[in-house]
Amino acid sequence: MIDNSQFHLKRFTRKPQPRNNHQPTAEPIGPKLYLNTRIREYVNGAPVPASAPTYLSMREIPTSDEISVLPNGEGEDVEVPANQVVGPWQSKRKYLSDHYALLREDAVTPLRNVVSELKAEPWVLEKDSIEHSYVYEKVDTQHTSIERLRSSLADIVGQVYIVGLTFAHSGVAAKLTFSLRRSGKKIIWEQSKRLIQGTLIAISPVQDMFKTICKVGVVAARPLSGVHSNPPEVDIFFGSPDEVEIDPQQEWVMVESSIGYFEAYRHTLMSLQKMAVEPFPLAEHIVGVEREISAPWYLERQPFKDLSSVSSSKDERYRHIDIVNGRWPDASTTQLDASQLEALRRILTKELAIVQGPPGTGKTHVSVLALKVLLQNKRQADPPIIVSAHTNHALDQLLRHIAEFEPNFIRLGGMTLDKDIIEPRKLFNVKQATKLGIVPGGMKGQAMGAMRRLVKEMQEVLKPLTEGASFDEEVLNAYGVLTEQQCKLLVKGAEQWVDLTLPEGVTAAISKWAGDELIQADRRTMPEDLGFEYEEMDLEFEQLKELEAEGKLSSEEETEGLKGERIRFDEPFTGPEKVGKSNDYFESLLKVADLWQVSTGLRGPLYRHMQQKVKKAMLVKMRALAKAYAKHSKDLKIGKWEYDTNFLQASNIIGCTTTGLSKYRGLLDSLKPKIVLIEEAAETLEAYVTAACFTTLEHLILVGDHQQLRGHCNEKELEGDPFFLDVSMFERLVRNQVGFTQLTRQRRMHPEIRRALMPIYPKLEDHADVLSREPVPGMGDVRTYLYSHEWHEAHDDLMSKINRREAIMVVGFFNYLVNNGIKTKEITVLTFYNGQRKLILRGLRLHPNLQGEVFKVVTVDSYQGEENGVVLLSLARSNKQNNIGFLSVANRVCVAMSRAQRGFYIFGNARMLCKESILWFSLTEAMASNPRRIGFQLPLRCQKHGIVTYAEGKQPIRPSVQFSPQRQAARGDSRDRARSPTKTPRGSPTKTYTITLSPIRRSSASPSKHPKDLVDMTPEAQAFRDFAAGGHVQADAAAIATANELAAKERLRQLDEENAAMLFGDPFQDTALADKTNKLKLTGTRETKDGVVRNKYEGFYSMPAVAEKSKLQEPSLLD
């Protein structure tokens, strides 16, 4: 155990307590370090008996049988069990095996589909792939049509080669060069998901194209220096040591799927296998769905705890109370509302605590307060508390809150954007700051020594491939290809010949024997010029970094490349292939005692045959050594964890993602943890939470909201009936009425924004703080609005939905808000489709008024847990088929509708949404109630001038009145000119619908008061005096303003009625509404000598009667 004084960290303890039976089994080995033997017990485990279920013996990386399909591209049916989401499971064994099968299928399916497609269509280009394939080999680009490609498969030349090996701590990795010809575009690797660490790949000899040979592996490292080279390079781990390949002359084709990420599944699958032979705590609730939940065992033994941190009154009575059966503080004595206090009580007193927190209700605040209480009552001998979240971003948010009162925490994992608070507390950095030497008796030193010896042996075996020369007769004899007598005769014959045609540096007798039949082996991946077109980034930056973080091999992997000795293959010479001659024929030639008697034309092909025999023999030796290396690599992992556990045991809090719970499960299990808290639990697939049930677990806390985002599946078929893989443990238990607490008071959204969520959260209440949210500049009192249109959608090259006119409208509205004083960082643009996200982001970056700004344009799936002042939601979908796609997913809609604090504005086809979705109908109906916030025209109110404009999106959004530069200068509106909207060509019409213009006065200094003005007088006299002294001007202006305001309100009411009729009325009776000639029209302005602008209006507006509904019309959802 580490002496805590070394860390200068404060521990929350009252007095030292004796060790209890929850302390990890440890052997004292010195004054500072302990050897934790539980780690090697966990990692090595017990042998799997022959009678055990098949899934327990499945290897970590999928086998070729799991990936391969039949030659015609049609695979055998895969049996996948149904998921039990209603009622209890049959048994723990059934629960674990079925979840393993479901998760394994979701992990493997994307790559299986890619291989299947390539077998059926070997010529397919990436842009034509329907299975989201990334293919790495060369395609002859002079064939511009699929028909020509089909007619000449010989034109497809694969260019994937193994060019070296790296002897890393994690295993033997092969370095591959590859071609990007099938992509047809340059890759921005810093922004690309291609071949990131942990990605599942498959390779096959180019001559086979996955017909009979399929080798599966994972990307070991993708250093930018490697992929930026030409040709690019990447390191891979083969699925097992028995599949290692070393032939630098063999040409391969390599594929990956652009969807899914195997690393996120890999460790959880292994955890489920481990749990099958372990005790399963809380199984009565998780498996048996038992609804009544008791207190944790540690709390039943000692229920008296200190709750002083909960009460704001610091009442001494709460320092020692029975929190299970005693009286809790009243909500009025805390800073919590009643539902938050009830949630806190559940968290602290139930062994399985489930808390549902709708958007903005403060679920993280309650979690942090619960952790504060748990730490306040933590004894010296208690193990650390483990906290987890679905994403690195959410985890860092939680740890930042914890750091305010508990500095002694450790962050497991490789990625954090918080360089000030979280980065120094990463395990890697904590170890760097405190060097403690080695753990005597640990496995690290022994494993490192064995691995170094094996590296030397492998280097010796591979020496003929690295020396840059042909295989000499000594190598051929050593591997049993030639006898000693044959070698002597070769040498004797070579001494009699001087061949000036041999390449420089060739001196071996076998090379002189081969003569000019020896050719240069120059088949390598060649440099490429892919033109100027770049591949578009298909992932948001945060999502890409999230994947890269999970792909790190360990918390120590702080560099891009692999650590370890490297060798580079250099085999420059070979012989030509001899068509029509079999291996048996060349074997018969090898029986000739004197090879000089072999005819000259056969010597080159015979040398090639001998070369291949040596490589096969080398491969057998290499695979045996790689297998031993893999065993010692596992021992090295154990040794590192034996060292790490000393640091973790000295901490009070350990934080990691839900993927990290499985990735570091052996390390965490060695601490014998009792308490685990998981945030975003409803967004996490069930198996990831199951893996958190360590054998010593007594208290599991799940915080989330199952009505927001669900877990993500690669295979969409697994999300529906009967598999329900996307249903989290959180949601399953809540829907099975296992006890939980729901928070009910939100502190994020203005009430007008919150009302749109009433169909989803009918009991959600507003905290008093949200009533004082500032309005959105430029929108008056309009805080929400659904701008409806019928602009048709399209799709981009990646088949993601886009709507160009809607994107233009969103960009224009964004610019309008900025012109009215909102900072770009206060605006978030959300969309359900990545194609629309990229389209809007591109429009914002190209806008002349927004140059140099930073924009937050993200997909809904990546924005859960976030919030901003103003949110613009682009729905994109609008089609004749009434297909709304992702917009029908209630969880995604819930997230999208609940991110805004001050203003929330939606752009989409409301009529189609109402017709196709009951949810959208309900949301639209809520927004259409008083005040009505839906229509075909977007109401804008200029922040400076009070001008109300109704924008239809037919022209760029702009101020309703254009002043000359001279007029602007006279009015002091230089800032308006500097931040003007998009410039319009001279003579272009500006179509706006202006309702009122507030009186504009020239700026002038206020006259100073005369002393006699200070004489007291009656209010009536003062009013008369003011009026007589020129107050009639102000009175006149006030009257005009009042009249204009009344006119604006009347016009707004009429437009609301018109929009409602157009949106929800009879589509066959819109002809009357289409005639909008009788509008209130501003024909001119006149400025008086007193500086008051008077407006001249002509005509009037009357609402046309809506015709009786056609009998042919489908009933409206509002009827």
Side-chain angles (χ1 to χ4, degrees):
M1 186 70 66
I2 300 174
D3 182 4
N4 295 327
S5 63
Q6 296 181 69
F7 295 96
H8 305 287
L9 299 175
K10 182 179 178 182
R11 304 290 296 246
F12 288 86
T13 56
R14 293 191 302 274
K15 60 181 180 179
Q17 298 288 337
R19 293 184 182 274
N20 60 15
N21 57 358
H22 290 281
Q23 184 67 17
T25 305
E27 301 174 7
I29 55 177
K32 293 182 178 180
L33 297 179
Y34 282 79
L35 173 63
N36 192 322
T37 58
R38 282 179 57 89
I39 294 176
R40 59 187 70 178
E41 294 171 4
Y42 178 92
V43 175
N44 292 326
V48 178
S51 59
T54 306
Y55 82 94
L56 294 183
S57 58
M58 295 183 73
R59 77 179 195 184
E60 188 176 338
I61 307 298
T63 63
S64 59
D65 291 338
E66 293 181 80
I67 301 297
S68 297
V69 291
L70 299 177
N72 61 2
E74 297 180 0
E76 299 177 354
D77 291 337
V78 179
E79 294 185 4
V80 182
N83 193 0
Q84 181 76 28
V85 294
V86 179
W89 280 81
Q90 178 182 346
S91 65
K92 162 195 163 183
R93 176 174 177 173
K94 175 73 171 170
Y95 172 86
L96 292 172
S97 63
D98 286 5
H99 272 285
Y100 182 92
L102 287 166
L103 200 64
R104 184 89 174 187
E105 182 64 19
D106 197 43
V108 170
T109 296
L111 186 60
R112 183 195 297 137
N113 291 342
V114 168
V115 171
S116 174
E117 180 182 46
L118 201 63
K119 290 175 69 173
E121 299 182 87
W123 53 83
V124 69
L125 301 177
E126 287 184 4
K127 67 182 182 64
D128 301 318
S129 171
I130 63 174
E131 297 294 348
H132 308 281
S133 305
Y134 286 156
V135 186
Y136 302 102
E137 63 167 32
K138 183 177 178 181
V139 177
D140 190 342
T141 54
Q142 50 184 322
H143 295 275
T144 57
S145 67
I146 291 296
E147 289 72 19
R148 297 186 68 183
L149 283 171
R150 282 179 178 150
S151 64
S152 182
L153 285 182
D155 288 332
I156 297 180
V157 182
Q159 291 225 335
V160 177
Y161 289 94
I162 299 174
V163 297
L165 297 177
T166 300
F167 304 107
H169 289 174
S170 305
V172 178
K175 184 173 290 294
L176 275 60
T177 59
F178 56 92
S179 167
L180 290 167
R181 287 283 176 164
R182 289 216 186 187
S183 71
K185 300 177 181 179
K186 291 183 177 181
I187 310 299
I188 305 176
W189 290 102
E190 292 85 350
Q191 301 176 357
S192 177
K193 182 194 171 190
R194 288 175 179 264
L195 297 173
I196 63 172
Q197 193 171 347
T199 298
L200 195 65
I201 58 98
I203 66 171
S204 178
V206 70
Q207 307 91 333
D208 185 79
M209 274 292 182
F210 296 102
K211 291 185 176 65
T212 61
I213 301 175
C214 174
K215 294 183 178 292
V216 186
V218 294
V219 176
R222 191 197 72 172
L224 291 178
S225 59
V227 291
H228 279 161
S229 59
N230 194 1
E233 298 179 343
V234 69
D235 296 293
I236 69 165
F237 288 129
F238 287 98
S240 86
D242 295 332
E243 296 181 354
V244 169
E245 294 290 341
I246 59 171
D247 189 353
Q249 300 299 328
Q250 176 61 57
E251 190 176 354
W252 304 86
V253 59
M254 178 172 63
V255 295
E256 67 165 318
S257 173
S258 64
I259 62 175
Y261 184 51
F262 179 69
E263 188 69 18
Y265 295 82
R266 177 180 183 177
H267 304 284
T268 303
L269 290 168
M270 295 174 62
S271 296
L272 294 179
Q273 290 174 316
K274 291 286 187 183
M275 292 186 67
V277 294
E278 294 176 350
F280 192 163
L282 305 179
E284 65 273 20
H285 303 295
I286 296 173
V287 178
V289 196
E290 187 176 313
R291 296 176 180 175
E292 295 298 323
I293 305 174
S294 58
W297 184 49
Y298 72 86
L299 193 59
E300 289 182 346
R301 288 180 295 147
Q302 176 51 268
F304 288 90
K305 301 297 177 184
D306 184 355
L307 291 184
S308 59
S309 58
V310 175
S311 175
S312 57
S313 65
K314 306 300 180 184
D315 194 328
E316 292 295 325
R317 293 177 300 171
Y318 300 131
R319 289 194 176 275
H320 190 67
I321 67 171
D322 184 347
I323 65 172
V324 177
N325 304 307
R327 182 179 178 182
W328 270 61
D330 186 79
S332 60
T333 65
T334 71
Q335 296 181 344
L336 306 175
D337 61 51
S339 64
Q340 289 178 326
L341 187 61
E342 178 59 31
L344 179 64
R345 183 168 187 167
R346 177 173 292 278
I347 288 176
L348 295 177
T349 61
K350 300 297 182 182
E351 62 179 353
L352 175 60
I354 303 175
V355 174
Q356 181 196 0
T361 53
K363 50 183 177 289
T364 300
H365 175 69
V366 176
S367 299
V368 171
L369 184 55
L371 289 169
K372 190 173 184 179
V373 174
L374 290 171
L375 287 170
Q376 191 174 13
N377 292 275
K378 183 178 180 291
R379 301 179 303 172
Q380 181 74 24
D382 288 338
I385 298 171
I386 298 174
V387 299
S388 182
H390 181 65
T391 62
N392 281 284
H393 177 68
L395 175 62
D396 286 348
Q397 281 186 327
L398 181 61
L399 289 177
R400 276 195 294 270
H401 289 300
I402 294 172
E404 294 177 3
F405 56 85
E406 176 51 82
N408 188 13
F409 68 90
I410 286 182
R411 167 75 150 85
L412 286 179
M415 183 265 193
T416 178
L417 297 179
D418 189 325
K419 303 303 179 184
D420 297 325
I421 299 174
I422 310 300
E423 182 73 24
R425 298 307 302 167
K426 288 167 57 176
L427 177 60
F428 177 81
N429 293 325
V430 171
K431 291 192 298 183
Q432 291 294 105
T434 311
K435 298 288 188 179
L436 298 178
I438 63 173
V439 179
M443 301 187 70
K444 181 178 179 180
Q446 181 181 357
M448 289 287 288
M451 292 171 72
R452 282 193 290 267
R453 291 191 295 272
L454 286 169
V455 168
K456 291 182 179 180
E457 292 185 46
M458 286 186 282
Q459 288 175 333
E460 187 64 29
V461 169
L462 298 172
K463 191 175 181 180
L465 293 176
T466 62
E467 292 185 328
S470 59
F471 290 1
D472 59 25
E473 53 277 6
E474 293 181 2
V475 172
L476 297 174
N477 176 246
Y479 282 96
V481 177
L482 297 180
T483 64
E484 289 188 15
Q485 181 62 25
Q486 287 175 313
C487 292
K488 289 180 180 179
L489 293 175
L490 275 173
V491 173
K492 182 178 180 180
E495 292 174 350
Q496 303 174 13
W497 290 86
V498 177
D499 194 340
L500 300 179
T501 64
L502 288 175
E504 184 180 355
V506 175
T507 58
I510 191 70
S511 301
K512 293 182 178 180
W513 166 81
D516 56 6
E517 289 294 310
L518 197 67
I519 61 176
Q520 287 193 348
D522 54 358
R523 293 186 64 197
R524 294 288 186 273
T525 312
M526 303 302 294
E528 298 172 329
D529 182 5
L530 298 175
F532 298 99
E533 186 177 3
Y534 283 89
E535 180 183 56
E536 285 200 44
M537 181 175 62
D538 194 38
L539 278 179
E540 297 167 36
F541 179 79
E542 292 86 353
Q543 291 176 314
L544 179 63
K545 293 303 177 184
E546 191 78 27
L547 293 179
E548 290 179 339
E550 300 302 347
K552 293 291 184 182
L553 296 173
S554 71
S555 59
E556 296 185 0
E557 295 284 341
E558 297 298 306
T559 57
E560 289 184 325
L562 293 176
K563 297 178 181 178
E565 294 194 45
R566 298 176 175 85
I567 60 171
R568 195 85 179 184
F569 293 146
D570 185 9
E571 187 190 24
F573 306 114
T574 186
E577 296 185 58
K578 190 67 175 179
V579 181
K581 300 295 184 181
S582 65
N583 287 336
D584 292 339
Y585 175 78
F586 289 112
E587 284 296 315
S588 65
L589 292 180
L590 286 178
K591 296 179 181 178
V592 177
D594 188 355
L595 294 181
W596 287 99
Q597 297 179 5
V598 176
S599 62
T600 304
L602 292 175
R603 291 180 184 180
L606 181 57
Y607 174 79
R608 185 185 185 93
H609 178 74
M610 292 188 289
Q611 195 179 33
Q612 294 300 321
K613 288 192 67 174
V614 171
K615 289 180 185 178
K616 288 181 180 179
M618 291 168 59
L619 184 60
V620 172
K621 286 188 175 182
M622 182 63 198
R623 287 178 174 175
L625 292 171
K627 189 173 183 178
Y629 191 87
K631 177 185 178 302
H632 291 296
S633 176
K634 181 190 290 187
D635 292 342
L636 178 60
K637 177 181 178 180
I638 294 173
K640 290 180 178 180
W641 279 1
E642 288 173 343
Y643 180 74
D644 294 346
T645 189
N646 287 274
F647 290 86
L648 296 178
Q649 187 63 48
S651 66
N652 285 327
I653 293 282
I654 298 172
C656 63
T657 62
T658 49
T659 301
L661 286 174
S662 296
K663 193 170 188 176
Y664 306 108
R665 193 170 188 271
L667 177 59
L668 296 172
D669 181 78
S670 70
L671 305 173
K672 290 193 174 182
K674 294 190 299 184
I675 304 173
V676 175
L677 182 147
I678 301 178
E679 283 252 339
E680 296 182 328
E683 193 182 349
T684 307
L685 296 182
E686 177 150 356
Y688 292 80
V689 180
T690 303
C693 294
F694 303 99
T695 56
T696 56
L697 183 69
E698 298 180 20
H699 193 177
L700 178 62
I701 305 164
L702 305 180
V703 181
D705 183 11
H706 60 283
Q707 292 180 280
Q708 296 187 55
L709 291 183
R710 281 180 167 179
H712 173 74
C713 298
N714 298 329
E715 182 61 33
K716 297 306 176 184
E717 291 184 13
L718 295 177
E719 293 182 351
D721 189 6
F723 307 113
F724 301 109
L725 183 58
D726 61 331
V727 176
S728 64
M729 179 190 294
F730 185 104
E731 180 177 359
R732 180 175 65 86
L733 295 178
V734 168
R735 296 196 182 281
N736 279 275
Q737 299 180 9
V738 174
F740 74 101
T741 298
Q742 181 183 21
L743 303 178
T744 59
R745 184 167 295 180
Q746 68 91 15
R747 293 165 167 79
R748 174 185 298 165
M749 301 164 280
H750 186 273
E752 185 178 315
I753 303 174
R754 187 266 310 150
R755 71 168 182 163
L757 290 171
M758 288 179 63
I760 303 175
Y761 302 105
K763 297 181 180 180
L764 193 59
E765 303 171 354
D766 299 319
H767 192 271
D769 291 347
V770 301
L771 302 177
S772 58
R773 295 282 189 204
E774 294 182 0
V776 179
M779 296 305 296
D781 62 345
V782 179
R783 293 181 179 271
T784 60
Y785 202 82
L786 198 168
Y787 175 83
S788 182
H789 64 77
E790 295 184 355
W791 302 322
H792 287 293
E793 67 188 47
H795 60 77
D796 63 7
D797 292 341
L798 297 173
M799 303 308 293
S800 182
K801 299 300 179 183
I802 59 174
N803 194 311
R804 298 186 186 279
R805 292 189 65 181
E806 182 177 295
I808 293 172
M809 183 71 173
V810 171
V811 171
F813 184 51
F814 191 106
N815 177 59
Y816 169 81
L817 294 176
V818 172
N819 281 340
N820 277 272
I822 303 182
K823 298 178 181 178
T824 57
K825 67 179 181 180
E826 297 175 345
I827 308 174
T828 294
V829 181
L830 288 181
T831 180
F832 290 85
Y833 294 91
N834 200 35
Q836 186 75 348
R837 180 190 70 83
K838 293 186 287 187
L839 188 63
I840 294 173
L841 185 59
R842 187 184 307 121
L844 291 171
R845 288 172 174 170
L846 294 176
H847 198 288
N849 290 347
L850 302 173
Q851 297 300 302
E853 299 285 357
V854 178
F855 309 103
K856 191 71 173 180
V857 185
V858 295
T859 56
V860 173
D861 286 3
S862 65
Y863 207 61
Q864 177 157 324
E866 301 293 327
E867 60 184 39
N868 208 346
V870 178
V871 173
L872 315 183
L873 176 60
S874 174
L875 302 179
R877 300 308 300 264
S878 181
N879 53 75
K880 295 180 180 180
Q881 296 76 27
N882 294 328
N883 183 358
I884 63 175
F886 288 152
L887 276 61
S888 64
V889 182
N891 304 74
R892 286 189 167 104
V893 174
C894 177
V895 173
M897 301 286 289
S898 58
R899 303 299 103 193
Q901 299 169 332
R902 300 166 55 193
F904 179 51
Y905 307 98
I906 311 173
F907 301 81
N909 189 333
R911 182 178 292 175
M912 183 183 75
L913 292 172
C914 290
K915 183 176 181 180
E916 293 300 313
S917 169
I918 295 297
L919 173 63
W920 275 105
F921 164 77
S922 302
L923 297 174
T924 303
E925 187 179 39
M927 296 185 70
S929 61
N930 189 30
R932 185 184 300 277
R933 296 299 190 223
I934 182 172
F936 292 96
Q937 297 170 331
L938 186 63
L940 313 175
R941 181 183 290 271
C942 179
Q943 179 74 2
K944 286 192 171 184
H945 315 120
I947 302 170
V948 176
T949 302
Y950 286 84
E952 289 187 325
K954 296 180 181 179
Q955 297 291 337
I957 298 176
R958 64 188 76 252
S960 55
V961 176
Q962 305 292 329
F963 295 98
S964 66
Q966 295 81 5
R967 181 86 178 273
Q968 285 181 332
R971 297 174 58 249
D973 286 344
S974 59
R975 185 179 182 276
D976 285 358
R977 190 165 65 253
R979 299 295 297 273
S980 60
T982 307
K983 293 182 179 179
T984 307
R986 184 172 297 178
S988 301
T990 302
K991 185 172 183 180
T992 56
Y993 298 86
T994 303
I995 302 305
T996 181
L997 290 175
S998 299
I1000 304 174
R1001 295 185 57 85
R1002 295 183 184 276
S1003 59
S1004 59
S1006 301
S1008 58
K1009 288 189 175 184
H1010 194 276
K1012 66 181 180 180
D1013 291 336
L1014 302 178
V1015 178
D1016 293 336
M1017 60 180 63
T1018 63
E1020 292 79 9
Q1022 182 65 50
F1024 178 81
R1025 176 176 176 175
D1026 292 343
F1027 186 84
H1032 63 283
V1033 177
Q1034 288 83 353
D1036 191 14
I1040 294 174
T1042 301
N1044 287 339
E1045 184 176 359
L1046 292 174
K1049 289 182 178 179
E1050 176 62 17
R1051 171 60 175 156
L1052 183 61
R1053 183 190 65 80
Q1054 293 172 350
L1055 283 175
D1056 283 343
E1057 293 175 356
E1058 177 185 354
N1059 289 336
M1062 294 177 67
L1063 186 59
F1064 303 111
D1066 191 339
F1068 296 97
Q1069 298 295 331
D1070 280 349
T1071 54
L1073 297 176
D1075 184 13
K1076 304 175 183 177
T1077 57
N1078 295 328
K1079 292 183 177 177
L1080 186 66
K1081 186 176 181 182
L1082 175 68
T1083 59
T1085 60
R1086 181 171 60 87
E1087 187 173 356
T1088 68
K1089 61 181 181 179
D1090 300 314
V1092 177
V1093 176
R1094 295 181 178 273
N1095 304 323
K1096 183 178 179 181
Y1097 296 93
E1098 290 183 0
F1100 65 96
Y1101 183 89
S1102 61
M1103 179 67 183
V1106 180
E1108 185 180 352
K1109 293 186 177 182
S1110 169
K1111 296 181 180 179
L1112 300 177
Q1113 178 201 4
E1114 296 181 7
S1116 169
L1117 287 173
L1118 288 179
D1119 293 339

